Amino acid sequence: MFLIKHGEAEILLGVFQFESAGMTSFMKELKPDSLEDIIAGVSLYRPGPMDQIPRYIKNKLDPEHSEYTHSALEPILNVTYGCMVYQEQVMQIVRDLAGYSLGRADLVRRAMGKKKLDVMAKERENFIHGQTDENGKVLIPGCIRNGITEEAANKIFDEMAEFAKYAFNKSHAAAYAVVAYQTAFLKTYYPAEFMAATLNSFLGNLDKVPEYINECKKLKIDILKPDINKSYTKFAVYGDKIRFGLGSIKNVGIAVVETIVKERKQNGEFKNFTDFCERMQGESVNKKCIESLIKAGAFDEFGETRATLLASFETILDTINNNNRKSYQGQVTMFDLGENEDLEKIKYNYAKMPELNEKELLSMEKEMLGIYITGHPLEKIKEQIQRRVNMDTLKLNKLKEESVEEYINLDGKLVKFAGIITSVKKKYTKRNTLMAFITIEDLYGECEIIVFDSCYSRSSNILLIDNIIIVDGKLSIREDEAPKIVANNITEFNENYIENNKSTEVRKNIKKPKVMVINITNLDEEKKSKLRGAIKFFNSERNNIAIKVKIEDKILPSGAIYVTDEIYEQFKDIVGEENIKLE
């Protein structure tokens, strides 16, 4: 109850029916101290009954001053401090004040809820004056016969008619309130288990999962990367931490995970990478699956760098397959001789490689898991971003949950939005000019940016995967679509600034390379062919640098590619160090 009573919006994140900022604000003002208050809160926070919220809060804080249109309403409405909150109360009013039967009372409720004006007009007459049959027998006494004035009866009927358009039934609200209380209890006393279950319920939802990952950080719950010896299919709890599931890794299906877990349970944990490959050989774990597991960090506990495993795993798998083939044919291999310990050292050859840089590791993590787990490229500049933008995905999502009408009214609003580019899709306009649809991600989710030709021509050189940009533009809001931003101007974020140890901004006059210039003037046809092949091979959605080729005195654009230090070295080997440079 304390969590609901005193909670901020972020504290109530994940609590059933209480996540929205409006509902959270209502609960803080209401200060619920019983399940009855939560039931009322669930019912009142809807169009129509919402108008009663100020009155309900005022009367709850000072119940002695609750006002009733007629004293006959007090036994029915005292539990909700004089406010009509539930459909059952409407039925009770027409029964107690006008003498309706249960069945007839339900007909009134339905007529009001469906706005059947002709039925309501007839029932107003019955409610006030009653109804008799042709023999004068009283079928419905009516309010006047029960000592209630016509004026009061009319006012009560008007209140019921307005309220009943949107009213909840109490049994429904009570069920909601119980689940809300249970989820708040679980989040308070079992936060890791609660957040793991919540994350599992939103797997694949890239708007919600980052929000809940961020909530875990606020609750000081560490999210651990996948581990081949500890992970299961979904998010699972380890002490006060949550570990990512293997089943959420790209190219790793549920059946594969079940096979891995079964092997692990039957024959113990995997001792090292090659032990995994040997034991899973012949199962449904193919090369693509193993590559994805490596990129996601599932083998990190074995001590080899991901770069080493990526460079070695195919050779290791081929060695295992060849050895098994020879054993099947009855041949004796070198591995059938000698002691296991000595042979383990010479059995497989690892191509030892230094670990990839943090940016590359995070990029692979995002590619395989759909989200960043061990870090985020924007985390180190979070405060700088907050100082320079006025909109992020978290704010957009909260506004949408709070009020659809206010959310729609944001259409056309000028905003500043920053994030890292995760996707670039180019398209030719009817005028045969280029425009683009780019997806950028901030710390809380993703947003699509529409870049028309005029803006694209000014910023195309920085619209590269993994670039961090700041967008000035207009919100484009449609009721049944995700929000978009139409860009007016795009610049590279913080190009000339870095953070020092005291987290203050310091000027840095080093610019990040944007273009790779290759001089092909003196290259022979063989090298040109290799160069064309390399550019084609490294061109992908992750492109992060533009390519220009120099022929004599001419410099011509030649697309873009994804470049790392290792890839840049490969290009130097093809064309020669003297013929390539970064600008």
Side-chain angles (χ1 to χ4, degrees):
M1 188 66 71
F2 180 86
L3 187 74
I4 296 175
K5 188 173 182 178
H6 300 280
E8 300 292 343
E10 56 270 20
I11 296 175
L12 290 176
L13 190 68
V15 176
F16 183 66
Q17 289 285 306
F18 286 82
E19 285 191 296
S20 75
M23 187 60 157
T24 302
S25 177
F26 174 28
M27 286 296 110
K28 283 188 71 179
E29 290 185 65
L30 179 63
K31 303 187 187 315
D33 47 28
S34 68
L35 188 63
E36 192 70 53
D37 285 338
I38 300 176
I39 296 170
V42 170
S43 299
L44 283 168
Y45 197 73
R46 296 166 55 76
M50 194 178 283
D51 295 337
Q52 298 266 15
I53 286 177
R55 180 183 171 193
Y56 186 93
I57 292 172
K58 180 184 174 184
N59 291 349
K60 180 188 184 297
L61 299 177
D62 188 12
E64 291 182 4
H65 289 83
S66 298
E67 296 178 0
Y68 300 91
T69 306
H70 192 278
S71 58
L73 292 175
E74 187 170 354
I76 302 168
L77 300 183
N78 62 356
V79 71
T80 50
Y81 310 104
C83 301
M84 288 186 197
V85 177
Y86 312 116
Q87 291 179 354
E88 288 90 340
Q89 287 176 319
V90 171
M91 294 172 64
Q92 191 69 39
I93 289 168
V94 298
R95 287 181 64 215
D96 288 5
L97 274 64
Y100 277 62
S101 67
L102 271 171
R104 190 69 179 250
D106 191 50
L107 290 176
V108 174
R109 176 194 64 80
R110 277 191 277 176
M112 288 180 172
K114 295 182 180 179
K115 306 174 185 66
K116 294 182 177 179
L117 301 180
D118 56 335
V119 178
M120 286 170 64
K122 183 179 177 182
E123 292 300 340
R124 178 188 291 270
E125 180 65 24
N126 294 337
F127 178 74
I128 298 168
H129 298 287
Q131 185 185 42
T132 59
D133 62 16
E134 61 273 12
N135 299 318
K137 183 182 177 182
V138 176
L139 301 177
I140 301 172
C143 287
I144 292 175
R145 282 192 180 91
N146 289 332
I148 299 168
T149 66
E150 184 173 350
E151 182 184 359
N154 263 312
K155 189 175 179 182
I156 292 168
F157 194 89
D158 288 339
E159 288 177 9
M160 288 192 300
E162 181 59 32
F163 161 76
K165 292 177 186 176
Y166 306 98
F168 242 26
N169 59 68
K170 187 174 183 179
S171 57
H172 195 162
Y176 274 28
V178 169
V179 176
Y181 183 85
Q182 288 172 332
T183 52
F185 177 89
L186 290 171
K187 187 173 183 182
T188 303
Y189 296 104
Y190 302 93
E193 289 81 359
F194 175 80
M195 293 308 298
T198 303
L199 284 164
N200 283 329
S201 70
F202 285 105
L203 279 179
N205 185 332
L206 295 186
D207 286 328
K208 282 291 185 182
V209 170
E211 189 177 350
Y212 289 114
I213 293 286
N214 193 53
E215 174 73 350
C216 288
K217 292 176 183 176
K218 290 178 182 177
L219 295 171
K220 295 182 170 44
I221 301 170
D222 291 334
I223 302 291
L224 307 175
K225 61 179 178 287
D227 188 298
I228 203 68
N229 276 328
K230 297 180 179 69
S231 292
Y232 292 87
T233 305
K234 295 183 177 181
F235 286 95
V237 176
Y238 285 85
D240 57 354
K241 300 178 176 63
I242 297 174
R243 187 171 294 281
F244 212 98
L246 296 175
S248 300
I249 301 174
K250 187 179 179 181
N251 304 318
V252 181
I254 303 300
V256 171
V257 179
E258 288 174 350
T259 304
I260 292 171
V261 172
K262 182 180 177 182
E263 170 62 27
R264 203 170 68 199
K265 285 181 177 178
Q266 288 180 346
N267 300 305
E269 293 187 350
F270 302 104
K271 297 174 185 176
N272 49 47
F273 178 71
T274 55
D275 181 47
F276 171 83
C277 294
E278 286 177 342
R279 286 163 61 178
M280 300 310 299
Q281 196 274 334
E283 301 290 347
S284 52
V285 186
N286 56 32
K287 287 184 178 181
K288 192 70 178 173
C289 173
I290 291 177
E291 180 184 16
S292 297
L293 288 167
I294 294 170
K295 287 183 175 181
F299 299 110
D300 285 1
E301 69 160 302
F302 295 142
E304 299 291 349
T305 66
R306 292 186 210 179
T308 295
L309 293 179
L310 287 170
S312 310
F313 80 95
E314 290 188 279
T315 303
I316 289 171
L317 291 174
D318 290 341
T319 301
I320 291 171
N321 289 333
N322 289 336
N323 186 43
N324 287 343
R325 195 178 300 115
K326 287 179 180 179
S327 297
Y328 179 75
Q329 293 171 350
Q331 299 180 34
V332 177
T333 71
M334 64 176 287
F335 306 129
D336 296 319
L337 307 170
E339 294 294 326
N340 287 339
E341 238 177 74
D342 295 331
L343 284 171
E344 191 63 38
K345 297 177 183 177
I346 62 172
K347 190 173 181 179
Y348 303 109
N349 292 317
Y350 283 103
K352 295 287 185 180
M353 303 283 285
E355 188 55 287
L356 303 167
N357 61 46
E358 183 185 21
K359 184 178 178 181
E360 290 171 315
L361 290 174
L362 288 174
S363 181
M364 287 195 303
E365 192 175 273
K366 177 71 164 65
E367 180 189 0
M368 291 299 108
L369 303 177
I371 54 176
Y372 298 104
I373 293 295
T374 57
H376 196 288
L378 305 182
E379 193 66 49
K380 293 179 181 177
I381 55 172
K382 179 179 179 179
E383 290 182 7
Q384 294 179 52
I385 289 174
Q386 289 173 342
R387 287 196 294 268
R388 295 181 60 185
V389 304
N390 62 7
M391 186 59 68
D392 57 41
T393 52
L394 185 61
K395 288 179 184 175
L396 278 175
N397 290 335
K398 282 188 176 180
L399 284 167
K400 188 174 183 179
E401 291 172 1
E402 178 68 20
S403 168
V404 173
E405 187 177 345
E406 287 182 27
Y407 174 70
I408 295 295
N409 288 338
L410 289 173
D411 187 47
K413 177 182 170 69
L414 291 173
V415 294
K416 277 184 177 288
F417 191 101
I420 183 169
I421 299 177
T422 59
S423 170
V424 179
K425 295 177 183 176
K426 301 170 189 175
K427 182 181 177 181
Y428 279 98
T429 67
K430 291 178 180 178
R431 299 195 301 272
N432 204 34
T433 56
L434 270 176
M435 65 171 292
F437 297 89
I438 69 173
T439 302
I440 68 174
E441 178 179 320
D442 63 12
L443 286 163
Y444 314 105
E446 293 184 336
C447 184
E448 185 177 29
I449 312 295
I450 302 170
V451 188
F452 287 115
D453 48 359
S454 58
C455 182
Y456 181 83
S457 64
R458 297 193 305 271
S459 56
S460 60
N461 62 319
I462 61 170
L463 299 184
L464 305 168
I465 300 295
D466 290 340
N467 258 11
I468 300 172
I469 60 172
I470 186 163
V471 179
D472 290 272
K474 291 181 181 179
L475 278 175
S476 175
I477 305 290
R478 299 292 180 270
E479 191 169 351
D480 298 322
E481 297 178 11
K484 300 177 178 64
I485 296 174
V486 180
N488 295 327
N489 190 48
I490 299 175
T491 54
E492 197 160 8
F493 186 84
N494 259 359
E495 180 180 341
N496 298 320
Y497 291 89
I498 59 168
E499 291 276 324
N500 70 2
N501 291 332
K502 294 181 181 179
S503 298
T504 57
E505 291 185 338
V506 177
R507 189 80 181 178
K508 187 180 180 184
N509 294 316
I510 300 173
K511 292 190 175 182
K512 197 166 82 175
K514 298 189 186 73
V515 182
M516 187 160 75
V517 181
I518 303 170
N519 189 344
I520 64 171
T521 305
N522 299 316
L523 297 187
D524 57 33
E525 285 304 314
E526 183 181 352
K527 287 184 177 179
K528 287 180 182 177
S529 176
K530 285 183 179 180
L531 178 62
R532 283 192 294 269
I535 291 174
K536 184 176 180 182
F537 182 79
F538 290 110
N539 175 268
S540 72
E541 284 192 356
R542 298 174 64 202
N543 292 345
N544 59 3
I545 196 163
I547 294 285
K548 290 185 179 179
V549 295
K550 182 178 181 182
I551 307 173
E552 301 294 348
D553 295 327
K554 294 180 181 179
I555 297 179
L556 305 171
S558 187
I561 61 170
Y562 176 72
V563 169
T564 63
D565 292 341
E566 290 77 14
I567 293 172
Y568 183 62
E569 289 298 320
Q570 291 184 42
F571 274 86
K572 286 196 330 192
D573 289 342
I574 293 172
V575 301
E577 190 171 351
E578 69 281 3
N579 291 319
I580 188 169
K581 63 179 180 178
L582 296 173
E583 295 181 350

